[in-house]
């Protein structure tokens, strides 16, 4: 059976006390079991504190720089993150693509750097409203995956999950509808199967992100090719995130 995953992307929110309280509430209340995986993508500065909780709630980093070490002022390496118990990294988020100009080629370097260090990866993809309106969303997302992710080996792709986050649904309160989500998720799974093999396509978790909350999670998670969510705003409250988690199964 495919694993299910629910990930919180806290983005640049919370203070240390709030982050510790939220993380601790998640640890105490999330429905952990063999098939449910939970991750918190925390701001860097909270990681030392959160790593002391030593829990099955995985710690993730929202960013890193794909070099071993050196003169990269302000950047953080994968090896440094590993010292803080980080086991998964987010790559390709649309906010990093658009505000920080991360190109498909640069994201490919990040994917390689993470996998070379045995990090799990949640790789984000998704189209703008303009691309969707011109009916190019499938080709656009396929190109994002082909250019930055599908060069890796079968062994490595199995360490990756994919998050489909249509840009027009992020932080807007407007979610993609079930047909739109299922169409994209099914296509992503088919591309993985074609590039690798059917078994690999069936094994990889594909998450949805974009205004997913406690009110719509049930409908979104009932799509056959949706294996969980990458949650922004609704992951900043204990109640919201726990209610979404209840809808995972
Ligand atoms: P929202 O859930 O706030 O729309 O954010 C989604 C997101 O970008 C998660 O990475």
């Amino acid at each position: 059976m495919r694993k299910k995953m629910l990930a919180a992307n806290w983005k640049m929110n919370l203070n240390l006390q709030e982050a510790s309280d939220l993380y601790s509430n998640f640890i105490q209340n999330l429905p952990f079991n063999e098939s449910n995986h939970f991750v918190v993508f925390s701001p860097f500065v909270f990681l030392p504190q959160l790593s002391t909780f030593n829990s099955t709630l995985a710690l993730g980093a929202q960013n890193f720089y794909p070099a071993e070490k050196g003169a990269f002022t302000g950047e953080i390496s994968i090896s440094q993150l590993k010292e803080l118990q980080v086991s998964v990294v987010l790559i390709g988020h649309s906010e990093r693509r658009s505000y920080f100009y991360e190109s498909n080629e640069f994201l490919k370097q990040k994917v390689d750097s993470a996998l070379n260090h045995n990090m799990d990866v949640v790789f984000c993809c998704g189209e703008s409203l303009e691309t969707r309106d011109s009916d190019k969303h499938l080709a656009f997302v396929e190109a994002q995956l082909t250019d930055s992710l599908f060069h890796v080996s079968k062994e490595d792709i199995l360490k990756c999950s994919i998050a489909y986050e249509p840009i027009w649904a992020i932080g807007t309160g407007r979610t993609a509808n079930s047909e739109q989500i299922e169409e994209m998720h099914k296509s992503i799974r088919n591309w993985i199967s074609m590039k690798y093999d059917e078994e690999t396509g069936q094994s990889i978790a594909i998450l949805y992100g974009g205004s997913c909350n406690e009110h719509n999670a049930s409908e979104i998670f009932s799509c056959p090719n949706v294996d969980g969510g990458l949650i922004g705003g609704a992951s900043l409250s204990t109640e919201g995130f726990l209610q979404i988690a209840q809808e995972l199964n």
Side-chain angles (χ1 to χ4, degrees), residues 19-231:
S20 295
D21 291 348
L22 203 50
Y23 195 73
S24 158
N25 289 342
F26 288 178
I27 290 173
Q28 285 166 43
N29 296 296
L30 281 170
F32 293 100
N33 65 38
E34 286 225 320
S35 58
N36 289 349
H37 292 242
F38 298 100
V39 184
V40 169
F41 290 101
S42 165
F44 288 137
V45 290
F46 307 147
L47 291 170
Q49 169 84 8
L50 302 184
S51 68
T52 63
F53 285 81
N54 207 5
S55 141
T56 44
L57 173 52
L59 258 189
Q62 297 172 18
N63 189 31
F64 63 96
Y65 191 76
E68 219 21 71
K69 62 178 177 176
F72 300 102
T73 301
E75 295 298 322
I76 292 175
S77 73
I78 287 278
S79 305
Q80 290 169 331
L81 292 172
K82 285 193 106 166
E83 286 193 304
L84 297 173
Q85 322 306 325
V86 169
S87 59
V88 47
V89 286
L90 200 56
I91 299 179
H93 195 283
S94 64
E95 287 150 17
R96 298 229 45 100
R97 291 176 189 262
S98 61
Y99 304 149
F100 304 101
Y101 309 107
E102 295 193 358
S103 65
N104 284 350
E105 175 52 38
F106 181 65
L107 296 176
K108 182 179 184 188
Q109 290 174 35
K110 291 179 88 169
V111 165
D112 289 338
S113 172
L115 293 170
N116 284 339
H117 286 87
N118 255 317
M119 271 281 175
D120 288 347
V121 167
V122 173
F123 185 87
C124 304
C125 55
E127 80 287 354
S128 66
L129 193 54
E130 196 187 356
T131 303
R132 174 158 288 269
D133 284 347
S134 52
D135 207 25
K136 297 194 176 113
H137 50 288
L138 293 177
F140 182 85
V141 169
E142 185 179 12
Q144 285 183 320
L145 295 170
T146 304
D147 291 354
S148 307
L149 186 64
F150 284 170
H151 63 285
V152 308
S153 67
K154 175 174 164 177
E155 190 190 335
D156 277 343
I157 198 82
L158 290 167
K159 292 184 208 141
C160 300
S161 307
I162 294 175
Y164 169 55
E165 299 203 312
I167 298 169
W168 46 276
I170 297 177
T172 59
R174 174 181 170 188
T175 43
N177 66 38
S178 300
E179 291 76 42
Q180 292 170 321
I181 296 174
E182 181 56 21
E183 178 198 42
M184 183 62 80
H185 281 231
K186 193 171 174 195
S187 302
I188 293 172
R189 200 172 300 293
N190 282 340
W191 298 326
I192 302 167
S193 298
M194 283 187 308
K195 171 71 197 172
Y196 297 92
D197 54 43
E198 180 68 25
E199 196 190 347
T200 308
Q202 289 304 326
S203 325
I204 291 188
I206 307 177
L207 318 179
Y208 171 79
S211 298
C212 180
N213 57 39
E214 59 274 34
H215 308 295
N216 56 31
S218 160
E219 190 182 339
I220 293 171
F221 295 169
S222 67
C223 297
N225 282 290
V226 173
D227 306 307
L230 177 57
I231 316 298

